[in-house]
Amino acid sequence: MRVSDHQERVLRAAADLSGETLTGFVLSVATERAEEVLERTQRISLSSEAFKRFVAALDAPVQEMPTLRRYARKQSPIPAR
């Protein structure tokens, strides 16, 4: 991985203070950040008011959607494998 002199100095200093090798420090921090990104993409946050509207929509009677039904019956333009 290519880094600037400044980046290398900062990373090495942080690794030394953590008692880790440079590689171990970079992998540890990169893995932690990757886990945060993945978690964020798997979680939906709603305000309490938005959650109440969501639950109300789930509990509401089913609405007929003729356009959606029509498209669901059509053959997909995407070829199946």
Side-chain angles (χ1 to χ4, degrees), residues 3-23 25-26 29:
V3 296
S4 70
D5 290 341
H6 172 73
Q7 289 170 319
E8 184 176 356
R9 279 193 307 276
V10 169
L11 290 169
R12 282 193 187 281
D16 288 344
L17 289 171
S18 299
E20 299 179 69
T21 64
L22 178 59
T23 299
F25 179 80
V26 170
V29 173

Side-chain angles (χ1 to χ4, degrees), residues 14-80:
D16 288 344
L17 289 171
S18 299
E20 299 179 69
T21 64
L22 178 59
T23 299
F25 179 80
V26 170
L27 284 175
S28 171
V29 173
T31 302
E32 184 178 315
R33 177 79 168 104
E35 288 170 347
E36 290 172 6
V37 169
L38 293 173
E39 181 184 334
R40 213 174 32 248
T41 64
Q42 297 171 1
R43 178 185 50 209
I44 298 173
S45 299
L46 298 174
S47 68
S48 61
E49 186 56 39
F51 183 73
K52 288 177 189 174
R53 290 193 314 268
F54 173 71
V55 170
L58 290 177
D59 291 340
V62 174
Q63 294 179 2
E64 185 61 29
M65 298 181 170
T67 303
L68 182 59
R69 186 175 300 281
R70 186 175 72 245
Y71 283 115
R73 287 190 188 124
K74 290 179 92 174
Q75 183 173 350
S76 173
I78 302 170

